[in-house]
């Protein structure tokens, strides 16, 4: 990475990240590029010369949050730059409609982020890009994609001698959160054509990172104090198909779990139709891998799934969950579902409720359908009225809350392995294997005489539940965080 430049001295930049864990990884790549060029990174917009907002462009609510954050940053008096998915998706249209943003940057600007924001601070006008379908920038055949020179945020791309082994290359990442959990990008893009989703158009076609790159970054994260790695992508079940090895993830998981200092590896974003028995077994039974299944069901009524351009049914999804629990009865599972997709009938909703009731999921996210620019669903007949969508959303949300609370109650009396994430005067809190960061519940550890530190992996017995959260009594420390790493994790 480059030596800090005189031009960047004294410049203070804040990176604000919205949306998913994939965006968080992208922000840490941007942070590394800026840090290498001498920028001072500060945690929020107060006192910043310029604020870079890594926006989310997934659904309407996320876009509104992104706009509100950009406007609030502009009110602080700092200059404001929009980056991330919403900026990539809308480009010049966003720049024209939001004059409060001093620049709108796309993914192709990331490699030169320092020069871009310096130019903004110097009063130069940045011409926002005209969006194009990023799937068209890569070969149609997955095996041919690695040779293409296309920006892939979060892949740690850096110019090095092509013969240098991955473990000897610099890691293009600077941690913005010192906690014991970090996301690691497995791949980017998606080749699926779900009727409701615009992500492939602005994230591009599916591209895997090679295993050596992922392992090298995992080792770097471990040295930075990380104890749990969460593998993220748009579709983790596709990992390896462009490397010529559809079982690549099954082979990679034990290697990641063996990285010194890492006590848990978690996989997210699994497509049910692509979740093979071998992958189910690898996640459910590999020591050091969380038996946790983040399955993107979206619905369970066959007619709705066909209109979504997805596959499955209530029976097939329940069979998948049964196969998981046959290997590991305590395995965790979560999913998202959509209420009010075009053509959805009352019978379809009843079928979805039947599935959710039988699935025993630990966490369920319910989304109300909204038309997304450029998606097939915009033009589908049978649109459900806004009032009906709201009613179904409320009904499904209430059912999801009740079912997830019941699932948490079922875990009372069981033994869980908890990664400690905070130790304060108010108590010790962490997450069991079935609880992913941000989206699921947590576990409070109380009772006993065991002294715990952030980063410890603790065996505990569940004594009660509060909603989806658990309360557990620590039994023993499975893996004590080394003292130097404990100090790293404790830093703000």
């Amino acid at each position: 990475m480059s030596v800090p430049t005189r031009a960047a001295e004294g410049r203070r930049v804040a990176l604000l990240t919205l949306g998913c864990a994939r965006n968080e990884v992208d922000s840490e790549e941007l942070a590394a590029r800026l840090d290498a060029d001498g920028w001072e990174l500060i945690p929020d917009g107060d006192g910043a010369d310029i604020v870079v907002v890594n926006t989310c462009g997934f659904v309407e609510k996320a876009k509104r949050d992104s706009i509100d954050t950009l406007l609030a940053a502009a009110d602080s008096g700092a200059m404001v730059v929009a980056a991330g998915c919403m900026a990539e998706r809308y480009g010049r249209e966003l720049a024209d409609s939001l004059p409060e943003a001093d620049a709108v940057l796309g993914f192709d600007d990331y490699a030169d982020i320092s020069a871009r924001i310096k130019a903004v601070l110097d009063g130069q006008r940045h011409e926002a890009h005209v969006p194009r379908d990023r799937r068209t920038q890569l070969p149609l055949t997955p095996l041919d994609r690695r040779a293409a020179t296309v920006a892939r945020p979060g892949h740690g791309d850096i110019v090095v001698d092509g013969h240098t082994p991955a473990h000897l290359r610099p890691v293009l990442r600077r941690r913005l959160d010192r906690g014991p959990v970090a996301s690691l990008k497995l791949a980017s893009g998606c080749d699926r054509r779900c009727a409701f989703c615009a992500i492939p158009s602005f994230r591009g076609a599916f591209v895997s990172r090679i295993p050596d790159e992922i392992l090298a970054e995992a080792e770097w994260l471990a040295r930075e104090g990380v104890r749990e790695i969460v593998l993220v992508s748009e579709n983790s079940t596709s990992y390896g198909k462009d490397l010529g090895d559809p079982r690549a993830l099954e082979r990679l998981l034990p290697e990641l779990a063996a990285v010194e200092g890492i006590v848990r590896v978690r996989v997210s974003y699994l497509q049910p139709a692509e979740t093979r028995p071998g992958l189910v077994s690898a996640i459910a039974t590999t020591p050091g891998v969380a038996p946790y299944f983040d399955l993107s069901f979206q619905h369970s009524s066959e007619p709705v799934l066909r209109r979504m351009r997805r596959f499955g049914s209530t029976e097939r999804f329940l069979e998948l969950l049964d196969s998981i629990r046959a290997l590991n009865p305590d395995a965790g599972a979560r999913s998202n579902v959509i209420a009010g997709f075009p053509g959805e009938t009352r019978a379809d909703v009843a079928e979805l409720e039947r599935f959710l009731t039988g699935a025993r999921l630990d966490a369920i996210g319910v989304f109300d359908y909204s038309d997304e620019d450029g998606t097939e669903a915009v033009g589908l007949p049978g649109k459900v009225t806004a009032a009906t969508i709201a009613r179904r959303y409320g009904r499904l949300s209430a059912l999801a809350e009740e079912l997830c609370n019941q699932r948490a109650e079922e875990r009372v009396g069981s033994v869980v392995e908890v990664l400690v994430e905070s130790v304060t005067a108010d108590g010790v809190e962490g997450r069991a294997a079935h609880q992913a960061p941000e989206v699921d519940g947590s576990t409070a550890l109380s009772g006993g005489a065991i002294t715990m530190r952030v980063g410890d992996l603790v065996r505990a017995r569940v004594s009660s539940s509060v909603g989806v959260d658990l309360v557990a009594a620590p039994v023993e420390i499975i893996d004590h965080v080394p003292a130097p790493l404990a100090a790293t994790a404790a830093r703000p």
Side-chain angles (χ1 to χ4, degrees), residues 236-480:
S236 297
T237 38
S238 282
Y239 180 73
K241 72 176 187 179
D242 52 331
L243 303 176
D245 183 5
R247 297 185 60 193
L249 184 54
E250 299 165 38
R251 304 180 201 280
L252 178 62
L253 288 174
E255 294 185 76
L256 286 169
V259 171
E260 185 177 358
I262 299 300
V263 297
R264 190 154 70 196
V265 177
R266 187 183 302 274
V267 185
S268 60
Y269 304 108
L270 302 172
Q271 287 288 345
E274 298 178 31
T275 305
R276 304 169 303 280
L279 182 58
V280 169
S281 179
I283 295 174
T285 66
T286 302
V289 175
Y292 173 84
F293 292 81
D294 176 15
L295 293 157
S296 176
F297 291 124
Q298 304 302 344
H299 215 283
S300 72
S301 168
E302 289 189 76
V304 175
L305 287 167
R306 298 302 175 267
R307 285 193 295 276
M308 288 179 168
R309 293 197 177 276
R310 296 175 67 86
F311 304 95
S313 66
T314 293
E315 305 311 328
R316 288 175 64 182
F317 292 161
L318 291 176
E319 287 172 3
L320 173 58
L321 290 167
D322 286 344
S323 72
I324 291 167
R325 289 167 179 145
L327 293 169
N328 191 325
D330 293 326
R334 83 170 322 274
S335 191
N336 297 319
V337 297
I338 298 174
F341 189 78
E344 183 188 64
T345 65
R346 283 180 289 182
D348 294 324
V349 176
E351 182 67 2
L352 177 56
E353 291 173 333
R354 183 172 80 88
F355 165 67
L356 293 176
T357 301
R360 296 172 59 231
L361 298 171
D362 293 279
I364 304 167
V366 181
F367 289 85
D368 48 343
Y369 172 81
S370 62
D371 282 338
E372 287 299 315
D373 302 331
T375 64
E376 181 184 352
V378 170
L380 289 179
K383 290 293 174 66
V384 181
T385 66
T388 300
I389 291 175
R391 186 168 60 253
R392 291 177 182 175
Y393 170 80
R395 177 174 165 179
L396 287 169
S397 296
L399 176 63
E401 181 178 5
E402 177 185 355
L403 293 172
C404 293
N405 291 352
Q406 289 175 3
R407 180 63 178 141
E409 289 175 5
E410 291 177 13
R411 293 190 180 274
V412 174
S414 68
V415 174
V416 294
E417 294 183 358
V418 179
L419 181 69
V420 176
E421 294 191 3
S422 69
V423 178
T424 67
D426 295 327
V428 179
E429 190 168 1
R431 287 177 303 100
H434 70 280
Q435 298 170 321
E438 305 296 334
V439 293
D440 299 339
S442 62
T443 299
L445 295 169
S446 64
I450 297 175
T451 299
M452 293 168 282
R453 300 185 301 210
V454 172
D456 283 346
L457 187 64
V458 180
R459 182 172 287 115
R461 186 172 296 278
V462 180
S463 57
S464 63
S465 65
V466 182
V468 296
D469 299 326
L470 303 180
V471 178
V475 175
E476 62 177 334
I477 304 291
I478 302 171
D479 194 300
H480 241 317

Side-chain angles (χ1 to χ4, degrees), residues 14-329:
L15 277 165
L16 306 183
T17 307
L18 303 174
C20 64
R22 301 185 295 272
N23 259 15
E24 293 171 4
V25 177
D26 295 353
S27 286
E28 294 196 346
E29 176 188 310
L30 293 176
R33 293 184 184 278
L34 292 167
D35 182 60
D37 209 26
W39 291 83
E40 181 185 355
L41 293 157
I42 59 176
D44 53 52
D46 292 341
D49 298 300
I50 191 164
V51 178
V52 178
V53 180
N54 189 349
T55 60
C56 179
F58 179 40
V59 293
E60 190 60 35
K61 290 178 181 177
K63 288 183 278 189
R64 288 200 299 268
D65 287 344
S66 294
I67 294 295
D68 289 344
T69 302
L70 287 162
L71 293 174
D75 288 342
S76 72
M79 302 192 82
V80 178
V81 169
C85 290
M86 187 178 181
E88 173 63 36
R89 184 177 179 184
Y90 293 102
R92 187 175 297 172
E93 179 184 347
L94 178 62
D96 291 343
S97 62
L98 192 70
E100 291 85 356
D102 296 284
V104 173
L105 304 181
F107 295 151
D108 293 331
D109 293 307
Y110 282 19
D112 297 313
I113 185 67
S114 178
R116 295 287 188 272
I117 66 172
K118 179 185 181 301
V120 172
L121 278 175
D122 289 344
Q124 299 178 32
R125 175 179 171 77
H126 176 78
E127 190 67 30
H129 65 284
V130 176
R132 53 180 172 169
D133 191 329
R134 293 187 73 86
R135 290 171 292 193
T136 63
Q137 298 178 267
L138 289 167
L140 186 62
T141 304
L143 290 172
D144 295 335
R145 291 174 186 166
R146 293 211 59 80
T149 55
V150 176
R152 303 180 183 112
H155 277 225
D157 294 332
I158 191 166
V159 178
V160 293
D161 180 348
H163 301 291
T164 304
H167 70 279
L168 296 178
R169 301 174 196 168
V171 173
L172 190 60
R173 185 164 181 176
R174 181 187 187 278
R175 294 205 69 201
L176 297 173
D177 178 356
R178 305 308 307 188
V181 182
S183 297
L184 195 165
K185 257 195 186 172
L186 192 66
S188 62
C190 186
D191 288 340
R192 300 185 70 88
R193 294 294 183 268
C194 301
F196 55 82
C197 184
I199 289 175
S201 66
F202 56 85
R203 278 290 184 179
F206 185 87
V207 179
S208 302
R209 298 180 69 190
I210 63 172
D212 284 352
E213 291 176 358
I214 295 170
L215 285 165
E217 188 166 330
E219 291 167 357
W220 178 85
L221 287 169
R223 293 193 296 272
E224 288 285 303
V226 170
R227 301 278 278 164
E228 177 179 325
I229 286 173
V230 182
L231 298 175
V232 298
S233 70
E234 275 74 31
N235 178 7
S236 297
T237 38
S238 282
Y239 180 73
K241 72 176 187 179
D242 52 331
L243 303 176
D245 183 5
R247 297 185 60 193
L249 184 54
E250 299 165 38
R251 304 180 201 280
L252 178 62
L253 288 174
E255 294 185 76
L256 286 169
V259 171
E260 185 177 358
I262 299 300
V263 297
R264 190 154 70 196
V265 177
R266 187 183 302 274
V267 185
S268 60
Y269 304 108
L270 302 172
Q271 287 288 345
E274 298 178 31
T275 305
R276 304 169 303 280
L279 182 58
V280 169
S281 179
I283 295 174
T285 66
T286 302
V289 175
Y292 173 84
F293 292 81
D294 176 15
L295 293 157
S296 176
F297 291 124
Q298 304 302 344
H299 215 283
S300 72
S301 168
E302 289 189 76
V304 175
L305 287 167
R306 298 302 175 267
R307 285 193 295 276
M308 288 179 168
R309 293 197 177 276
R310 296 175 67 86
F311 304 95
S313 66
T314 293
E315 305 311 328
R316 288 175 64 182
F317 292 161
L318 291 176
E319 287 172 3
L320 173 58
L321 290 167
D322 286 344
S323 72
I324 291 167
R325 289 167 179 145
L327 293 169
N328 191 325

